[in-house]
Amino acid sequence: MQNFRFYVPTDIRFGTDRLSELPEALSSIGKRVLLVYGGGSIKKSGLYDKVQQQLVKGGFEVVELSGIEPNPKIHSVRSGVKLIRKHQLEVILAIGGGSVIDTAKVIAAGVFYEGDPWDLVVDSSKIKQALPIVDILTLAATGTEMNRNAVISNADTKEKLGTGGAELLPHVSFLDPTTTFSVSKWQTAAGAADILSHLFEQYFNRTKAVQVQDNIAEALMKVVIDFAPVAFENPDDYGARANLLWASTLALNGLVGNGRSGGWTCHPIEHELSAFYDITHGIGLAILTPRWMAYCITHDPSTHEKFAKYGEAVWGLTGDSQAEIARKAVRTTYEFFEDQLEIPMTLQKVGIETTELVDEMSQQAVVHGELNTDGPFVRLDEEAVKSIITSCFEEMTLN
Amino acid sequence: MQNFRFYVPTDIRFGTDRLSELPEALSSIGKRVLLVYGGGSIKKSGLYDKVQQQLVKGGFEVVELSGIEPNPKIHSVRSGVKLIRKHQLEVILAIGGGSVIDTAKVIAAGVFYEGDPWDLVVDSSKIKQALPIVDILTLAATGTEMNRNAVISNADTKEKLGTGGAELLPHVSFLDPTTTFSVSKWQTAAGAADILSHLFEQYFNRTKAVQVQDNIAEALMKVVIDFAPVAFENPDDYGARANLLWASTLALNGLVGNGRSGGWTCHPIEHELSAFYDITHGIGLAILTPRWMAYCITHDPSTHEKFAKYGEAVWGLTGDSQAEIARKAVRTTYEFFEDQLEIPMTLQKVGIETTELVDEMSQQAVVHGELNTDGPFVRLDEEAVKSIITSCFEEMTLN
């Protein structure tokens, strides 16, 4: 286990019927609010009206920035920064999933930066200060509600990049499982794949003696595996939604990642798919992940031990050798996405019809993700990434 | 899963060679320090000198309160409050295990209370404000380094009681596994039993749909079971000490307990043993816990399901029925303490020779622990507690 600092002072308010706490949570920070949200879903669900009632009751001055898209774009960040400066706002209230909260984070930092906020995405060291953020989460997926990270896309440059800083950690996050009841099957599946991918990215790692972190990763994987199919079938199952929501937060708040170093793999590759094709992030991850796993166990037998551990601890698999259990684990992961969550498991099925951009995406992934280094669990050069992405155009076979 | 708030802004500095961060951690709070510690162990280990070097370098004014005992006493708290008032100190630096840090916590609150600080132990609602605490932990056990709780004894009244408040949460906790290398086998075993007991107290609980919390509890139990025997045999094994230390912190910082309600059982009973006989807390827990488990599965078949789950998930046990796996799980727990950690498993072996105080202790445990209510996993009246304590005078038999 390596040295680490764990300092995550986000105030989590978990559960139902807590919006009456919103005025108190905001007013200790400021009375002039930028309200950031996405499309009409929070209006349809009634959440928008409930929040407005509290804001009116609390006497807040509110300016709205709506229309935040999935794979949120830098132009939304620029708009938010302008609104805050124009109206001298003091706090950001973000209502939505990861896209909305990530946008709020970079807006919060952009206010204190003189240049174009895209600079803060390209180079996180330029983030020095940020407005406080309060959020109301509506999707179990990214974990942004309790961490320092944000991912923003730039349509002009075809880039989707992560940034982060201690200043971006939300002050208060409201996590109400009932706000996720209206999440579609598609987004429920994508969210589950995103949570699992966060756990995989941290768990498949070479640092020794991180059993606390690994055991917690397995614990949370089992939650997703048990409850994502329940939420998929019964969207209003409170217990399933609550467990998924809390697991999504803990999967990426430092508990699993601290005490070790190493890079991520599937996320950087998926970011290229989303940057070039704007597909749903979690779905892209579900398609990529089993192929990446298959690549690992096929090309690097030293990975069999950890994949076998995963198969045994998370899926209860057995076998005559680590290689066999590892192979079963990869196959089981693929089948979970395909059978339990009904995710379309090839790129054609999500609208990526040809391989014409595979070379360019692979090149970018290696650069942005630093994949051809000792960071990732298995080092990947451009050819390796190409073979992984290319394999996503066919049903996975793994004998 | 019930509603909960999770807000634990302790700044954890985990790992080796971080004492140079101490001046920065303290000076943001104050320059006038009450240094609280126990006996000579931190002088023998060299930790005291290293800390003093940093304090001198940082130009701190330091007043010392040493001699904090295990099962820390209210008279130490009173002394600390007097010193702080006399010297107008601004921050408490606690170096030690749970006893030292718990003492620091109640001193910190006592400074802002006009009456006798014992009032704050008897009635936590009287805690309104506290001085900031920075600590350097030297023992993996109580979890106090990242929570709001403290346990203090009163020799005059033969009481050992818990108290707590948000104000008592340490600001910064330094967790260096190498500071625990010098912990004796006895204290290593006692600490492991304390961690496991914290997990059991929260895990054996009737709240539904808390799989995140239960899975994390199992994850941490497995860490203790895997690494406590390693640390016991090889005190300088960094990986084992690191995993035990981080597990001890996470076992009682809210992660396992949030989202559910219910009372504790073995801790309140053990507090009576410690209050009357001043035995080592963790050892008392190790002796009591398997007898309490045996009582549960013998008297309440509705507990078999959870004990069987525990046996399967944590110990990998199998059997023909939940009752059988539950019984094996209790037996395995007993043998772990006795065989792996060499804990003396009867009360006579820790110096409690007669049963003369069993009635009085049982009575007090039921009152202080609210055991004869719906809180605990299994409701216990005075007779039940008597039978559990009495069974601790003989080797456990469980067929």
Side-chain angles (χ1 to χ4, degrees):
Chain A
M1 197 183 297
Q2 299 172 356
N3 284 9
F4 64 86
R5 185 179 182 190
F6 185 77
Y7 178 53
V8 192
T10 299
D11 183 350
I12 298 286
R13 312 284 180 101
F14 194 99
T16 56
D17 299 321
R18 303 192 71 148
L19 281 186
S20 61
E21 299 170 24
L22 185 60
E24 165 259 311
L26 282 169
S27 60
S28 64
I29 308 171
K31 299 294 274 188
R32 303 172 62 83
V33 180
L34 179 70
L35 177 61
V36 183
Y37 59 99
S41 67
I42 66 164
K43 293 196 172 167
K44 205 159 61 183
S45 73
L47 179 58
Y48 177 87
D49 286 341
K50 286 185 199 163
V51 170
Q52 283 293 0
Q53 279 169 19
Q54 295 296 334
L55 293 175
V56 168
K57 206 169 76 179
F60 293 91
E61 194 162 325
V62 180
V63 175
E64 294 197 8
L65 174 67
S66 64
I68 308 302
E69 300 159 290
N71 297 317
K73 310 302 182 290
I74 190 65
H75 68 77
S76 299
V77 173
R78 293 181 186 126
S79 303
V81 170
K82 276 185 205 150
L83 285 173
I84 286 175
R85 287 180 177 154
K86 182 175 170 191
H87 300 281
Q88 295 180 294
L89 306 178
E90 300 162 322
V91 53
I92 303 177
L93 174 59
I95 312 178
S99 300
V100 169
I101 299 173
D102 282 7
T103 303
K105 284 179 172 180
V106 185
I107 292 172
V111 173
F112 294 93
Y113 180 73
E114 289 197 1
D116 181 18
W118 181 246
D119 299 348
L120 307 178
V121 180
V122 174
D123 179 2
S124 65
S125 75
K126 292 186 170 150
I127 297 175
K128 306 287 186 196
Q129 199 179 341
L131 276 192
I133 294 167
V134 172
D135 65 78
I136 300 170
L137 185 65
T138 60
L139 183 69
T142 75
T144 190
E145 63 277 8
M146 202 181 183
N147 69 35
R148 293 139 204 257
N149 313 321
V151 180
I152 299 292
S153 294
N154 187 327
D156 297 333
T157 63
K158 296 269 184 218
E159 287 177 299
K160 176 178 176 177
L161 301 176
T163 187
E167 303 78 5
L168 306 189
L169 195 73
H171 283 227
V172 185
S173 290
F174 287 87
L175 275 57
D176 180 348
T178 65
T179 65
T180 69
F181 283 1
S182 58
V183 172
S184 67
K185 286 193 172 210
W186 175 262
Q187 288 295 346
T188 299
D194 196 24
I195 305 169
L196 283 177
S197 181
H198 294 155
L199 295 167
F200 295 152
E201 300 273 21
Q202 300 170 94
Y203 178 83
F204 291 107
N205 175 281
R206 308 268 180 180
T207 308
K208 300 287 180 204
V210 287
Q211 192 154 350
V212 168
Q213 293 87 338
D214 274 359
N215 285 10
I216 291 176
E218 292 167 359
L220 297 174
M221 289 177 201
K222 285 189 279 189
V223 169
V224 178
I225 286 159
D226 286 348
F227 285 113
V230 177
F232 191 81
E233 290 303 326
N234 304 298
D236 294 359
D237 186 308
Y238 187 86
R241 292 292 195 183
N243 275 282
L244 277 179
L245 189 56
W246 191 219
S248 72
T249 305
L250 298 181
L252 199 51
N253 77 340
L255 275 180
V256 174
N258 63 31
R260 55 176 144 209
S261 55
W264 289 29
T265 306
C266 290
H267 268 69
I269 301 176
E270 198 292 319
H271 284 180
E272 300 308 323
L273 297 180
S274 286
F276 283 81
Y277 291 101
D278 211 8
I279 66 170
T280 303
H281 174 58
I283 302 298
L285 288 170
I287 296 170
L288 279 166
T289 296
R291 274 74 176 211
W292 165 75
M293 289 178 166
Y295 180 92
C296 290
I297 63 171
T298 307
H299 290 78
D300 185 350
S302 79
T303 65
H304 293 177
E305 183 180 350
K306 195 67 181 268
F307 279 103
K309 171 87 165 58
Y310 159 67
E312 288 168 340
V314 176
W315 295 104
L317 299 172
T318 56
D320 290 334
S321 67
Q322 288 182 337
E324 184 190 343
I325 303 170
R327 210 164 50 244
K328 284 185 186 175
V330 177
R331 162 63 51 198
T332 304
T333 306
Y334 184 89
E335 288 168 352
F336 174 75
F337 290 136
E338 184 166 56
D339 300 340
Q340 303 273 306
L341 300 182
E342 299 177 14
I343 292 176
M345 289 299 283
T346 66
L347 290 178
Q348 291 95 319
K349 292 182 183 167
V350 294
I352 303 180
E353 303 285 349
T354 73
T355 59
E356 61 184 341
L357 294 175
V358 170
D359 287 5
E360 194 178 347
M361 293 192 293
S362 302
Q363 196 182 6
Q364 291 295 308
V366 170
V367 174
H368 291 146
E370 301 178 7
L371 301 182
N372 196 4
T373 69
D374 286 339
F377 189 52
V378 171
R379 175 194 283 260
L380 300 181
D381 62 15
E382 217 177 296
E383 285 306 309
V385 177
K386 272 163 67 174
S387 81
I388 290 170
I389 299 180
T390 304
S391 70
C392 294
F393 284 87
E394 291 182 8
E395 302 285 332
M396 192 175 83
T397 51
L398 185 75
N399 302 312
Chain B
M1 197 182 297
Q2 300 173 356
N3 284 9
F4 64 86
R5 184 180 182 190
F6 185 76
Y7 178 52
V8 191
T10 299
D11 183 350
I12 298 286
R13 311 285 179 101
F14 193 100
T16 57
D17 299 321
R18 302 193 72 148
L19 280 186
S20 61
E21 300 169 23
L22 185 60
E24 165 260 310
L26 281 168
S27 60
S28 63
I29 308 171
K31 298 294 274 187
R32 304 172 61 85
V33 180
L34 180 69
L35 177 62
V36 183
Y37 59 99
S41 68
I42 65 163
K43 293 196 172 170
K44 207 158 59 183
S45 73
L47 179 59
Y48 177 86
D49 286 341
K50 285 185 200 163
V51 170
Q52 282 293 0
Q53 280 169 19
Q54 295 296 334
L55 294 174
V56 168
K57 205 169 77 181
F60 293 91
E61 196 164 322
V62 180
V63 175
E64 294 199 7
L65 174 67
S66 64
I68 308 302
E69 300 159 293
N71 297 317
K73 311 301 183 291
I74 190 64
H75 68 77
S76 299
V77 174
R78 293 180 186 127
S79 303
V81 171
K82 275 184 203 152
L83 285 174
I84 287 174
R85 286 180 178 155
K86 181 175 169 193
H87 299 281
Q88 295 181 293
L89 306 178
E90 300 163 322
V91 52
I92 302 178
L93 174 59
I95 311 179
S99 300
V100 169
I101 299 173
D102 283 6
T103 303
K105 284 178 171 179
V106 185
I107 292 172
V111 173
F112 294 94
Y113 180 73
E114 289 195 2
D116 180 18
W118 181 247
D119 299 349
L120 307 178
V121 180
V122 174
D123 179 2
S124 65
S125 75
K126 293 186 167 148
I127 297 174
K128 304 288 185 196
Q129 198 179 342
L131 276 193
I133 293 167
V134 173
D135 65 77
I136 301 171
L137 184 66
T138 61
L139 183 69
T142 74
T144 189
E145 62 276 9
M146 203 180 181
N147 71 34
R148 292 138 204 258
N149 312 321
V151 181
I152 299 291
S153 293
N154 188 329
D156 297 334
T157 62
K158 296 269 182 216
E159 286 176 299
K160 177 178 177 177
L161 300 176
T163 186
E167 301 80 3
L168 306 189
L169 195 72
H171 284 226
V172 186
S173 291
F174 286 87
L175 276 56
D176 180 349
T178 66
T179 66
T180 69
F181 283 2
S182 58
V183 172
S184 67
K185 286 194 171 210
W186 175 264
Q187 288 295 347
T188 299
D194 196 24
I195 305 168
L196 283 176
S197 181
H198 294 156
L199 295 166
F200 295 151
E201 300 274 20
Q202 301 170 93
Y203 178 82
F204 292 105
N205 175 283
R206 309 265 179 181
T207 308
K208 300 286 182 206
V210 285
Q211 192 155 349
V212 168
Q213 292 87 337
D214 274 359
N215 284 11
I216 291 176
E218 292 166 359
L220 297 174
M221 289 176 201
K222 285 189 281 187
V223 169
V224 178
I225 286 159
D226 286 348
F227 285 114
V230 177
F232 191 80
E233 290 302 327
N234 304 298
D236 294 358
D237 187 308
Y238 187 86
R241 292 293 194 183
N243 275 282
L244 277 179
L245 189 56
W246 191 219
S248 72
T249 305
L250 298 180
L252 199 51
N253 76 340
L255 275 181
V256 174
N258 62 33
R260 54 175 144 209
S261 56
W264 289 29
T265 306
C266 289
H267 267 69
I269 301 176
E270 197 292 321
H271 284 181
E272 300 308 324
L273 297 180
S274 286
F276 283 81
Y277 292 100
D278 210 7
I279 66 170
T280 303
H281 173 57
I283 301 297
L285 288 170
I287 296 170
L288 278 166
T289 296
R291 273 75 174 211
W292 166 74
M293 289 178 166
Y295 180 91
C296 290
I297 63 171
T298 307
H299 290 79
D300 185 350
S302 79
T303 66
H304 292 177
E305 184 180 351
K306 195 69 180 266
F307 278 102
K309 171 87 164 58
Y310 159 68
E312 288 168 338
V314 175
W315 295 104
L317 299 172
T318 56
D320 290 335
S321 67
Q322 289 182 336
E324 185 191 343
I325 303 170
R327 209 164 52 243
K328 284 185 186 176
V330 177
R331 162 63 52 196
T332 304
T333 306
Y334 184 88
E335 289 168 353
F336 174 75
F337 289 135
E338 184 166 55
D339 301 339
Q340 303 273 305
L341 300 182
E342 299 177 14
I343 293 176
M345 289 298 286
T346 66
L347 289 178
Q348 290 95 320
K349 291 182 184 168
V350 295
I352 303 180
E353 303 285 351
T354 73
T355 59
E356 64 184 339
L357 294 175
V358 170
D359 286 6
E360 194 177 348
M361 293 192 294
S362 302
Q363 194 181 8
Q364 291 295 307
V366 169
V367 174
H368 291 145
E370 300 177 8
L371 301 183
N372 197 3
T373 69
D374 286 338
F377 189 52
V378 171
R379 174 193 284 259
L380 300 181
D381 62 16
E382 217 175 299
E383 284 306 309
V385 177
K386 271 163 67 175
S387 81
I388 290 170
I389 299 180
T390 304
S391 70
C392 294
F393 285 88
E394 291 181 8
E395 302 286 332
M396 192 176 84
T397 51
L398 185 74
N399 302 313

